Amino acid sequence: MVPKSYKTKEFDLSGLTGISDKTLEMHFKLYDGYVKETNRLNEKIAETLKDGKVDHEEMPAYSELTRRLGFEYNGMVLHEYYFGNLRRKGEPEPEKSSSFRKAAEQSFGSFETWKTDFASVGKMRGVGWAICFEDLENGRLSNHWITLHEVGNVAGFKPILVMDVWEHAFLLDYKPAERPKYIDAFFANLDWKAVERRLRAADRVSRAA
Ligand SMILES: [Fe+2]
């Protein structure tokens, strides 16, 4: 059954390396705000649609609510991907035989080059996200910079590995200029099995190898 609204998901992540419980507690609250705001926008839009039309007078407010969907939906979903690819006692690298490693090698030449690219995207100035996407058409991986939450996502591509590089993700633990240290901490807590499960073209990639 299609749910009427979105529910805030729970993530058990206390005790990470280099990302404090205090940061996580604050970050979960921010994420919860995106879920609530997504639901609120949908309710407001549904109210407007109740009489079966969008009046000329309603159009400015309706347009603003609809434009904000991109920010709130992506703010909700990207945080779920981000928390979902972290774990206590993470592994620094994916297994040698993993489909992710194979896809990274085929897309970038080597896992190390993929990692350099992904971490470098994360170090770009500005607030946003570094995201490794999979092109579901051919299994190719590419790393992208997402400004805020909604600018730069590729339509139809699937997020495989998501790193939040807004300052709220690390400012309680590191200075603003220490983002590279946070990126190291992110990699120290990575759940590569979760990343592997997201890869849709796993079969195709291993067949081609
Ligand atoms: Fe965040």
Side-chain angles (χ1 to χ4, degrees):
M1 208 177 105
V2 175
K4 278 205 162 51
S5 61
Y6 288 92
K7 293 213 172 2
T8 304
K9 294 181 179 172
E10 299 284 331
F11 298 91
D12 176 17
L13 290 176
S14 58
L16 293 183
T17 305
I19 300 174
S20 66
D21 289 357
K22 219 167 139 191
T23 290
L24 287 168
E25 196 184 315
M26 179 274 303
H27 214 162
F28 290 145
K29 277 192 193 133
L30 277 176
Y31 154 60
D32 181 53
Y34 287 109
V35 178
K36 290 198 165 80
E37 199 59 19
T38 297
N39 288 332
R40 207 170 71 86
L41 287 178
N42 280 330
E43 281 164 21
K44 291 251 176 211
I45 290 166
E47 265 170 43
T48 308
L49 293 171
K50 237 178 199 165
D51 61 0
K53 56 187 178 355
V54 181
D55 295 338
H56 185 66
E57 309 83 70
E58 289 172 325
M59 190 49 97
Y62 171 83
S63 302
E64 180 54 24
L65 290 169
T66 302
R67 284 200 185 96
R68 283 168 55 194
L69 284 177
F71 182 75
E72 304 296 349
Y73 260 91
N74 280 295
M76 172 176 72
V77 169
L78 291 181
H79 278 106
E80 289 169 357
Y81 274 106
Y82 170 71
F83 296 133
N85 55 222
L86 292 174
R87 57 164 290 179
R88 274 182 296 276
K89 298 195 175 81
E91 291 150 353
E93 288 198 358
E95 285 174 19
K96 294 277 179 219
S97 60
S98 69
S99 297
F100 180 87
R101 187 183 281 273
K102 282 182 190 159
E105 285 168 357
Q106 289 176 359
S107 305
F108 286 83
S110 71
F111 170 75
E112 288 68 29
T113 307
W114 168 84
K115 188 176 174 183
T116 299
D117 186 56
F118 184 83
S120 301
V121 170
K123 289 171 192 167
M124 285 167 55
R125 290 172 67 76
V127 289
W129 302 77
I131 302 185
C132 175
F133 285 97
E134 178 188 13
D135 179 346
L136 298 181
E137 288 283 315
N138 55 24
R140 192 179 190 283
L141 302 182
S142 50
N143 299 320
H144 296 255
W145 170 259
I146 309 304
T147 302
L148 299 176
H149 304 309
E150 75 274 41
V151 181
N153 290 288
V154 187
F157 279 29
K158 188 172 167 55
I160 300 299
L161 178 56
V162 173
M163 178 167 67
D164 192 339
V165 287
W166 282 60
E167 287 185 345
H168 65 243
F170 61 90
L171 217 54
L172 295 179
D173 302 324
Y174 304 98
K175 295 189 178 78
E178 291 179 328
R179 200 194 286 188
K181 284 190 186 170
Y182 159 72
I183 293 173
D184 287 345
F186 173 81
F187 271 97
N189 298 292
L190 256 183
D191 186 347
W192 283 107
K193 289 203 169 55
V195 172
E196 187 79 1
R197 283 195 295 273
R198 290 173 184 166
L199 209 57
R200 288 267 191 85
D203 292 345
R204 188 174 17 220
V205 171
S206 53
R207 273 203 304 275

